[in-house]
Amino acid sequence: MLAIAALAAAAPLAAHELVTVASRPGVTQSFLVIDTGSVKPQAIALLYTGGGGRVGLRQEDGEVKYRSHNFLVRAAADFARNGLLPVVMDAPSDQNELTDEYRRDSAQSDDARAVLGELKRRFPGLPAFLVGTSRGTISAAFLGRELGDELAGVVLTSSMFGSSNPRRQAPNLRGFDYGAIRSRLLFVHHREDGCEHTPYTSALRLAVRYPLISVSGGKAAESGPCEAYAAHGYFGREAETAAAIAAWILGRAFPQDVE
């Protein structure tokens, strides 16, 4: 259970803010701090999106612009309503899209540490959690292992467990030692996830060792099975899934089934 009283000093944010920090020699890392409205955040949720990991953060005519298709970005306001400070990671300046090598490399850890350092300076006392989805779970898992006690926990949603077809492999977490993540660990998966690289059965097998939130239902798919607007992206179940994740992060009772 989090020491909520110690976090009361964290003030709500007034607007989305694009922040850029120097992370490695000659490299910058940008991230988006989501407006929490009147809600005082009780924990930081550092969000790693799927696909190429780039959300296109930029300023145009004084406004922050970014791509909002990914599940975690669509659900950011729901995380905020439930007491989290959502922070959306973009790709660093030396990565057009995040390669599999980068997601497993020390360069990613350096970039994450630079962001966490800035967030902890701005929001002292707030524990930091990583939340990854789809290919972003590779980043979150490896960072969870490398950053250790610098984190309060890791959430892996629609995890890249790997296809059963050896001819159709994508970057995945096959063989990863989840026990090497020293902080708390939660899996979240949609029962009807139709993406061959993220089978629900693999999440179910891990449920004997780790907490699992299983999601059902939602809207009819409007994208391919491995894309954001399908069960893989919790389409139509964003709010309920975000609320369940937030409850686990904040040490509250959380539903094991979201229906």
Side-chain angles (χ1 to χ4, degrees):
M1 185 69 68
L2 296 177
I4 301 300
L7 308 177
L13 300 177
H16 297 344
E17 182 182 3
L18 190 164
V19 183
T20 301
V21 295
S23 56
R24 288 174 279 129
V27 177
T28 59
Q29 172 70 64
S30 295
F31 56 96
L32 180 67
V33 182
I34 296 293
D35 177 11
T36 60
S38 61
V39 179
K40 292 182 178 181
Q42 299 171 25
I44 296 166
L46 199 59
L47 308 179
Y48 281 84
T49 62
R54 179 171 291 281
V55 297
L57 284 175
R58 63 200 184 278
Q59 289 272 4
E60 289 184 1
D61 300 323
E63 292 186 7
V64 178
K65 303 287 187 178
Y66 55 95
R67 293 194 289 270
S68 59
H69 301 299
N70 185 264
F71 155 62
L72 293 178
V73 184
R74 297 199 317 270
D78 298 306
F79 286 125
R81 276 191 286 272
N82 285 279
L84 302 184
L85 175 63
V87 176
V88 181
M89 291 288 284
D90 206 351
S93 61
D94 66 341
Q95 296 275 315
N96 183 40
E97 291 194 347
L98 302 190
T99 64
D100 187 36
E101 291 75 17
Y102 173 83
R103 290 190 186 275
R104 301 167 185 265
D105 190 63
S106 61
Q108 180 180 234
S109 299
D110 293 340
D111 295 338
R113 281 192 171 100
V115 172
L116 289 170
E118 178 65 16
L119 291 171
K120 290 180 179 182
R121 184 187 67 81
R122 290 171 175 239
F123 308 99
L126 289 188
F129 290 76
L130 302 183
V131 185
T133 197
S134 193
R135 198 167 291 193
T137 59
I138 300 173
S139 288
F142 277 83
L143 286 171
R145 185 186 70 185
E146 297 305 312
L147 299 185
D149 296 337
E150 298 173 59
L151 301 170
V154 176
V155 181
L156 304 179
T157 78
S158 303
S159 299
M160 293 288 291
F161 295 120
S163 173
S164 59
N165 186 342
R167 297 182 180 180
R168 293 181 56 81
Q169 289 303 312
N172 61 65
L173 289 166
R174 181 172 281 123
F176 183 83
D177 179 11
Y178 297 103
I181 298 176
R182 297 196 298 274
S183 58
R184 297 167 60 207
L185 177 59
L186 170 71
F187 286 92
V188 181
H189 221 95
H190 201 294
R191 292 179 184 273
E192 288 88 49
D193 190 334
C195 181
E196 66 178 303
H197 306 290
T198 58
Y200 174 71
T201 52
S202 295
L204 201 57
R205 283 194 292 269
L206 286 164
V208 299
R209 296 177 56 196
Y210 303 101
L212 168 67
I213 294 174
S214 298
V215 181
S216 302
K219 296 180 180 178
E222 296 181 7
S223 71
C226 294
E227 303 299 329
Y229 294 102
H232 180 73
Y234 308 92
F235 188 42
R237 283 287 183 267
E238 295 91 343
E240 299 92 337
T241 304
I245 292 170
W248 178 87
I249 284 177
L250 297 179
R252 300 169 181 164
F254 65 94
Q256 293 183 322
D257 292 285
V258 173
E259 299 176 332

